[in-house]
Amino acid sequence: MDSQTTINSCKCETPSDAEDYSESLVLKPLPDGHLYAFFELKTVWHKDLHSINWANRFNVFPLSLGKLISKHELQELHFSLTKGVWKHQRWGYAIREAPPNAQLWLWFQHFHKNPQKAWRDITSELSGQFCSSINFIDNSATVQPKYSLRPEGVIDGNSLRNGSIFYGALPHESVCTENLTPWKKLLPCFATKGLATLLNAAHLFNSYYFSLAVDFRPICRDIHCESTSVELIQSISVVFNPPVMFDGKQSWSLVKLFGTTLTSTCSLAAKTTLYIDLTDTNNKNASKLTPEPTKLVYSVIGAEERKYAAYDLKQIMTQNGKALNIGQYFQDNFVYTNVKPPPLYANRFIKGYGLADGGITCHIFNNLDKPIEIVYLDVIPWYLRMYLHTLKITANSKSIKPHTIYYKPSKDRIQSHHLELLLVLPPNSMTDISYQFDRVFLKWTEYPPDANHGVYVNSAIISANLNTDKNFTYLPIRETISTQNLHFVRIYTQTLLVSLPTPDFSMPYNVICLVSTVVSLAFGPIHNLTTRRARIADNESDKKTKQSLISRVKNFFKRKTDTKSSEQKE
Amino acid sequence: MVHQMNTLFRLLFFVIIGVSLRFSLLKSSYQKEISNRVEISSPVTAWKRAIEGVTLESMSISPYSGHTFHESPIFLHFYKWLTTSGHQLVEHLFVATDIFTALLLSLVCYKQLNYLSLLEEQRISKNVKKDDIQRLSIDRSHITEQSLRVAVIYLLSPYSVLSCVGQSTSVFTNFLMALTLLTTTLEMRVVSTALLALLSVQSFYPLMMIVAIAMIIEQNRCLRDKPTKPSEPQLVHYWSPSVRFSLLSTISMFALFFAAFLFISYKLMQNNCQFIESTFGFLWTVPDLTPTIGIFWYFFTEMFDHFREFFLWTFQINAFIYVIPLALTLRKNPYFLSFILLILLSLFKPYPTVSDFAIYTALLPQWSHLFTHMKQGLIITCMFVSCSVLAPILWHLWIVMGTANSNFYFGVTLAYNTAQIFLITDLLFAFVKREFYINNGVKTEADGKLSRLELAF
């Protein structure tokens, strides 16, 4: 409702290319004592995707991204950098799910001429933009998923074309301050005003989970969808260390979490809102919010009512004009309880011992009473030679047949294994997807710097439509929430660390010398045997030399003794 | 007659032992472990990869679009037929093929030794003193015994047994090789060139055998055609026009079959040439550095990138270059040439397995008349035995326990290849010595020992 009015009011003010910028922060005490904070800084530019070009005036929308989008004719862009693994089992679903470490996927507009080259360019440009090494996403780390990744925004009827989606992930990329700073620079108020002032690297990175993301997509401008706008969401998800650690209560405040109070709002932002999710708050353990929220928001999504305390920060700031420290204080100590796992979650791990072969197993849990259709995407690097004939899928130890298997075998040094499965998970089941691989022996120059540490394998992606919204965390105003009873989830499993067999890195000269010697051992004698004739060995002369050698030695000593004796005589 | 029956019964006895040995291991829990051994399953011959190829093919994904399967499309379709016909059949066929290989090798030995003794008889009787003939000539009465030994060695040799149990696809290539040798010895030119062409399409390196095969066919033709004249040894005159024409026809027949098989492969893969890159290209560029018992893997693992191409060329040329000088030296005995080429194949191809070792060690009794002239038999045997014992141990220490490193296993493969080289050179030198005595009469020292020979220009 709120967003609807915003869009309408904007339409009244300026005809076509107005820009909307809004900031929101959702805080949610998690059922296991952690605290989840989600920043969403959203720019909506009421301009058609195709009419964006570098000559436009960029006010709020970041120029550098706008140029990238127009130059490479992008339809959608999704980029995330993450530290840590989101624990679905305990935290439910995140608002913006992201795999550990770096991930980038995008759609090109359907008429793009050379998407392969553009993809390479984009990875290097973004790598410069965010000071990360995603330029290491080369051909061997890129796949073009068939079913797993669908456009998230509006598309023309004919703009979906095979080969215009690209997905790449780097499971060994680490995230730190140098990635956060350029991310902040994309904001219209930078980090000087507004919610971004809370983004203090020292506090953010001292957390269980941190993820920054940039999502660009075209959206409908109004409910009739006759024209489109573009939307850029910059988001940060943080799961803070449990506040319980300090005083046994789950109480928190902005100062405790971010180390600073909120002193300003961004004047370019139309709205700045802070939400506290109170849905799961236990009634027995009463909590007090200070200051009092502006209003309570109830949103009914699906069957469940969700309750949020909302703070209109713009309004509060203009009224008070002083530093704001919002907090939630609980009366009683936090009581750890069994957390009910979400309807769908997964665990993935490595099997086997030794360095020759092994296996990967993924356990997918369906806790619903209904079957769930999922798409499973696994990208296995070429240096784990996967065997498709070993693929086994069992649900509650009964073998099941996937609806569809899409498989692209790997090519050494060129292309990864790409496996996509369309599966139906039976109700209340654990589905086990497992397959075997051989560890490939690489050239000595191909190993990563710390070769014995091992190599990382990307997380698998599981996409599904769930007809429940338990364990979800939402922004109460997010447009993606459908009014139907279906909720799309895309969850990422753990990344894997696999050790590879290594050669001795100090041996190249020795090995070249030794093997060449052995080859010459064959070459020399065969050359001799084939080019020379046999004859009787000249034994006489042989004996002579032998005798003469012995006699010479004898004579040598003899002479010495002789001379000695003669000397003595003298 | 009684003697022959006796031999047959003994053969049957060993066949039964061989079959039961293979089946008992196939059914045992060790089968999986054995089939995963790098000594038995190379990237080209692993059954696991063959199955993967068949799986992809049946999902209508070209197995050659990935880098897992490296055998020819003809074999791929054979495996496809095999696996769809049932699991039992696969095991039975592996065992049956291996047994047939043993029998074929035995026949090859029998036939070739008969020809050889015929061929050498005249030369020996002409040049060698009567007293010494016994020393040099091939004992006709022993040929059956030696052929039996060939079969027994192949039936019971741990290398062939393990290859069969590990379901290495080299069981089939060995069978084809044995069949090629037999049909060649029987002068079935069309069949033998066709079989060799099939082998060459499958794994390329058997291509070099065409020289030996053409020469054997000529030699046998020569032996058969001419009526025996006691004065004249029936050696082939390679310069006579009829022989040259015949040689050319053999080689062109081979080329024709080779092209035909390539074309069939091309058609089998729905007019797609991808398989060339995945089979020949794979063998030529050696991109898979999985350890084998050959000399390529560690060398190209440790190779500096800018030298890689140079050494690839060197090693590939090295594999083929010996054919020409050996063909010239051994022109009087093409059978021996084919045997030496078998050892060279096992030595210098990029992905050798123990089944390559098994096929030529089985044929060793055929050349037992050379053993008296060999010097390093004991050393070579010891090297082979110690390598066979050490290789699995050091592999386990490196890969499973993590207490040793790659150098240990590399050392063993190096020793194994050195032993093979010693075997070749020792056999060749023994051959050269014996030829010398056949041509010049036996020369002995005063103490009755054979006099020492040396090589000179």
Side-chain angles (χ1 to χ4, degrees), chain A residues 351-406:
Chain A
K351 284 196 302 189
Y353 61 92
L355 294 177
D357 46 13
I360 291 178
T361 295
C362 187
H363 287 165
I364 308 175
F365 295 85
N366 174 10
N367 292 328
L368 290 182
D369 297 332
K370 294 171 195 163
I372 305 179
E373 288 176 27
I374 62 154
V375 183
Y376 177 83
L377 168 72
D378 212 343
V379 180
I380 303 117
W382 62 268
Y383 35 80
L384 302 182
R385 182 166 288 116
M386 173 194 162
Y387 291 96
L388 186 66
H389 72 268
T390 59
L391 177 72
K392 277 201 194 88
I393 306 167
T394 55
N396 293 342
S397 55
K398 255 186 287 172
S399 168
I400 57 170
K401 224 176 145 344
H403 184 265
T404 309
I405 299 180
Y406 175 81

Side-chain angles (χ1 to χ4, degrees), chain B residues 301-357:
Chain B
T301 301
E302 297 275 1
M303 180 51 62
F304 299 102
D305 283 333
H306 46 282
F307 287 140
R308 193 172 298 273
E309 204 150 324
F310 167 73
F311 276 106
L312 264 179
W313 277 99
T314 313
F315 272 51
Q316 299 290 5
I317 291 170
N318 178 58
F320 283 92
I321 199 141
Y322 301 104
V323 177
I324 301 158
L326 284 175
L328 292 174
T329 313
L330 307 177
R331 63 187 178 280
K332 287 176 187 167
N333 193 341
Y335 315 110
F336 190 59
L337 175 65
S338 72
F339 177 64
I340 290 290
L341 287 187
L342 276 182
I343 308 182
L344 276 177
L345 261 180
S346 156
L347 181 59
F348 286 129
K349 72 179 187 182
Y351 299 104
T353 58
V354 290
S355 64
D356 297 307
F357 178 74

Side-chain angles (χ1 to χ4, degrees), chain B residues 280-415:
Chain B
F280 294 162
F282 177 76
L283 291 172
W284 291 335
T285 55
V286 199
D288 191 331
L289 300 167
T290 309
T292 59
I293 49 173
I295 50 173
F296 276 71
W297 68 276
Y298 208 48
F299 189 71
F300 286 102
T301 301
E302 297 275 1
M303 180 51 62
F304 299 102
D305 283 333
H306 46 282
F307 287 140
R308 193 172 298 273
E309 204 150 324
F310 167 73
F311 276 106
L312 264 179
W313 277 99
T314 313
F315 272 51
Q316 299 290 5
I317 291 170
N318 178 58
F320 283 92
I321 199 141
Y322 301 104
V323 177
I324 301 158
L326 284 175
L328 292 174
T329 313
L330 307 177
R331 63 187 178 280
K332 287 176 187 167
N333 193 341
Y335 315 110
F336 190 59
L337 175 65
S338 72
F339 177 64
I340 290 290
L341 287 187
L342 276 182
I343 308 182
L344 276 177
L345 261 180
S346 156
L347 181 59
F348 286 129
K349 72 179 187 182
Y351 299 104
T353 58
V354 290
S355 64
D356 297 307
F357 178 74
I359 191 169
Y360 77 76
T361 42
L363 281 173
L364 265 179
Q366 188 185 344
W367 306 100
S368 56
H369 53 275
L370 295 178
F371 290 173
T372 47
H373 305 280
M374 282 174 73
K375 276 180 177 171
Q376 295 162 335
L378 181 69
I379 298 176
I380 295 168
T381 319
C382 290
M383 281 173 94
F384 279 137
V385 170
S386 54
C387 287
S388 310
V389 174
L390 282 177
I393 296 174
L394 294 176
W395 175 264
H396 188 80
L397 286 182
W398 171 29
I399 294 296
V400 182
M401 311 271 286
T403 45
N405 70 10
S406 46
N407 297 341
F408 292 66
Y409 189 76
F410 164 67
V412 172
T413 59
L414 208 59

Side-chain angles (χ1 to χ4, degrees), chain A residues 355-356 385 387-389 410-412 438 443-445 503-504 508 518 525 529-530 533 535-537 539 542, chain B residues 48-49 52 55 59 65-67 298 301-303 329 399 406-407 421 425 429 445 451-454 456:
Chain A
L355 294 177
R385 182 166 288 116
Y387 291 96
L388 186 66
H389 72 268
S410 79
K411 285 184 172 176
D412 291 359
D438 277 352
K443 294 170 190 165
W444 72 302
T445 46
D504 185 340
V518 168
L529 282 160
T530 50
R533 281 170 206 285
R535 69 170 187 209
I536 300 285
N539 284 350
D542 249 27
Chain B
K48 189 156 76 165
R49 295 189 186 231
E52 179 73 3
T55 312
M59 288 173 67
S65 63
H67 281 179
Y298 208 48
T301 301
E302 297 275 1
M303 180 51 62
T329 313
I399 294 296
S406 46
N407 297 341
I421 288 170
T425 50
F429 197 49
E445 301 280 298
S451 51
R452 224 162 56 81
L453 292 185
E454 65 178 13

Side-chain angles (χ1 to χ4, degrees), chain B residues 62-338:
Chain B
S62 168
Y64 303 106
S65 63
H67 281 179
T68 302
F69 183 71
H70 305 289
E71 297 186 53
S72 71
I74 298 170
F75 272 69
L76 173 72
H77 281 80
F78 168 63
Y79 301 144
K80 195 177 172 184
W81 166 80
L82 197 60
T83 45
T84 47
S85 311
H87 180 68
Q88 278 297 315
L89 183 80
V90 177
E91 289 183 352
H92 287 155
L93 196 77
F94 266 103
V95 176
T97 312
D98 225 25
I99 302 302
F100 274 118
T101 310
L103 301 181
L104 289 175
L105 286 177
S106 165
L107 280 177
V108 168
C109 169
Y110 183 78
K111 278 277 161 195
Q112 288 197 347
L113 270 183
N114 269 322
Y115 278 124
L116 200 61
S117 65
L118 209 73
L119 186 67
E120 286 182 349
E121 212 167 39
Q122 297 142 338
R123 285 170 63 209
I124 293 176
S125 58
K126 190 179 159 198
N127 298 331
V128 182
K129 277 182 279 177
K130 274 230 163 58
D131 306 341
D132 295 328
I133 288 181
Q134 190 68 29
R135 234 172 173 163
L136 285 180
S137 67
I138 298 162
D139 193 347
R140 285 248 179 159
S141 57
H142 273 78
I143 290 179
T144 328
E145 185 63 31
Q146 274 160 359
S147 316
L148 179 69
R149 258 180 230 165
V150 168
V152 171
I153 290 183
Y154 197 82
L155 284 169
L156 302 186
S157 149
Y159 306 103
S160 58
V161 171
L162 290 177
S163 299
C164 177
V165 172
Q167 299 189 318
S168 161
T169 60
S170 56
V171 167
F172 299 119
T173 45
N174 268 2
F175 171 74
L176 285 180
M177 184 55 90
L179 197 59
T180 312
L181 288 175
L182 184 68
T183 49
T184 310
T185 317
L186 297 175
E187 286 171 69
M188 298 155 82
R189 194 196 312 235
V190 181
V191 185
S192 77
T193 48
L195 286 170
L196 189 71
L198 184 60
L199 271 173
S200 310
V201 169
Q202 161 77 356
S203 57
F204 187 71
Y205 290 87
L207 187 85
M208 62 173 93
M209 293 292 286
I210 185 61
V211 179
I213 280 170
M215 285 166 73
I216 290 174
I217 289 174
E218 289 323 303
Q219 185 62 63
N220 286 2
R221 238 164 45 100
C222 185
L223 271 172
R224 189 169 42 92
D225 287 353
K226 278 187 197 165
T228 322
K229 268 187 273 169
S231 56
E232 193 83 348
Q234 290 170 317
L235 288 173
V236 185
H237 297 289
Y238 282 101
W239 290 116
S240 76
S242 69
V243 172
R244 265 191 286 173
F245 176 75
S246 173
L247 272 180
L248 200 70
S249 69
T250 311
I251 288 171
S252 50
M253 214 179 274
F254 170 75
L256 210 68
F257 277 119
F258 190 75
F261 282 124
L262 278 184
F263 184 72
I264 291 172
S265 304
Y266 172 73
K267 282 289 166 198
L268 278 176
M269 291 326 290
Q270 279 85 38
N271 302 349
N272 195 333
C273 272
Q274 248 179 348
F275 73 93
I276 303 247
E277 189 220 321
S278 231
T279 52
F280 294 162
F282 177 76
L283 291 172
W284 291 335
T285 55
V286 199
D288 191 331
L289 300 167
T290 309
T292 59
I293 49 173
I295 50 173
F296 276 71
W297 68 276
Y298 208 48
F299 189 71
F300 286 102
T301 301
E302 297 275 1
M303 180 51 62
F304 299 102
D305 283 333
H306 46 282
F307 287 140
R308 193 172 298 273
E309 204 150 324
F310 167 73
F311 276 106
L312 264 179
W313 277 99
T314 313
F315 272 51
Q316 299 290 5
I317 291 170
N318 178 58
F320 283 92
I321 199 141
Y322 301 104
V323 177
I324 301 158
L326 284 175
L328 292 174
T329 313
L330 307 177
R331 63 187 178 280
K332 287 176 187 167
N333 193 341
Y335 315 110
F336 190 59
L337 175 65
S338 72

